[in-house]
């Protein structure tokens, strides 16, 4: 299964980008052993529409384009989602892989979040906890958890309970 990271907003050069790249590089190296292939990052610029609803609609439409194939699934990161432990998160990714999903798009929204209907279309809606995170930190957390999921699925000792 191919993993694609969809992000609203661009990550500038700096330590945050380096850390994201480090985790995604690890994912690219370890993922194939458990059937997860890293398909890259799709970044879009934040919408400049006048209202939050219009911005969310434009950004969500771009995300929907990536999951238009019925063999794809959407993993949405949203504050209203379910807080999962790392093993449960990895298990759900493994389940999607085992169900024959070919592409899993992990989506991080912009400052306004996601259009509410996008959560209805998602296979999983996951919260990064109850705290609010800046986009750069959210991207680091997601990249690390995707790598951690591959490590768990590979029975690698990176994750410790």
């Amino acid at each position: 299964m191919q993993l694609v990271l969809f992000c609203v907003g661009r990550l500038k050069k700096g330590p945050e980008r380096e850390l994201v790249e480090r985790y995604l590089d690890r994912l690219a190296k370890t993922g194939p052993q458990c059937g997860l292939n890293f398909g890259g990052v799709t970044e879009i610029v934040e919408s400049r529409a006048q209202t939050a609803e219009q911005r969310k609609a434009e950004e969500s439409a771009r995300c929907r384009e990536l999951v238009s194939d019925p063999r794809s699934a959407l993993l949405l990161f949203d504050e209203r989602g379910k807080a999962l432990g790392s093993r449960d998160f990895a298990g759900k990714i493994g389940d999607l892989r085992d169900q024959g999903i070919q592409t899993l798009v992990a989506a991080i929204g912009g400052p306004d979040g996601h259009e509410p209907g996008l959560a209805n279309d998602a296979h999983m809606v996951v919260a990064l906890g109850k705290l609010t995170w800046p986009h750069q930190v959210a991207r680091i957390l997601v990249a690390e958890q995707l790598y951690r999921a591959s490590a768990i699925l590979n029975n690698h000792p990176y994750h410790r309970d």
Side-chain angles (χ1 to χ4, degrees):
M1 178 173 72
Q2 185 177 51
L3 295 175
V4 174
L5 185 56
F6 172 84
C7 302
V8 177
R10 303 232 185 247
L11 196 57
K12 297 176 184 158
K13 288 186 181 183
E16 297 90 353
R17 184 177 195 91
E18 291 172 14
L19 194 51
V20 168
E21 289 173 352
R22 179 183 310 163
Y23 286 123
L24 294 179
D25 183 57
R26 289 179 185 180
L27 171 62
K29 290 177 181 172
T30 63
Q33 298 164 2
C34 64
L36 303 177
N37 297 302
F38 180 56
V41 177
T42 298
E43 288 183 327
I44 66 165
V45 295
E46 294 172 25
S47 169
R48 300 231 186 261
Q50 288 193 327
T51 69
E53 289 74 27
Q54 291 171 328
R55 288 189 294 273
K56 290 189 286 189
E58 286 180 13
E59 294 162 356
S60 294
R62 297 285 306 277
C63 183
R64 279 190 177 91
E65 292 171 6
L66 295 176
V67 292
S68 59
D69 186 314
R71 297 168 296 173
S72 62
L74 177 60
L75 161 57
L76 199 66
F77 288 94
D78 187 277
E79 62 189 7
R80 292 169 295 277
K82 186 173 183 178
L84 298 173
S86 294
R87 284 204 181 273
D88 289 335
F89 180 69
K92 290 188 179 296
I93 289 175
D95 289 345
L96 289 171
R97 174 203 60 200
D98 296 346
Q99 292 167 15
I101 295 297
Q102 291 185 356
T103 303
L104 177 62
V105 176
I108 302 172
D112 299 308
H114 301 286
E115 177 184 51
L118 197 58
N120 296 333
D121 298 339
H123 284 73
M124 285 194 301
V125 183
V126 176
L128 296 174
K130 294 187 178 203
L131 298 172
T132 301
W133 298 103
H135 179 82
Q136 299 91 331
V137 175
R139 200 181 297 197
I140 293 167
L141 294 172
V142 168
E144 193 280 338
Q145 284 300 303
L146 291 173
Y147 164 63
R148 183 176 296 271
S150 75
I152 290 169
L153 293 171
N154 279 320
N155 295 314
H156 187 278
Y158 176 77
H159 179 75
R160 298 178 188 150
D161 292 312

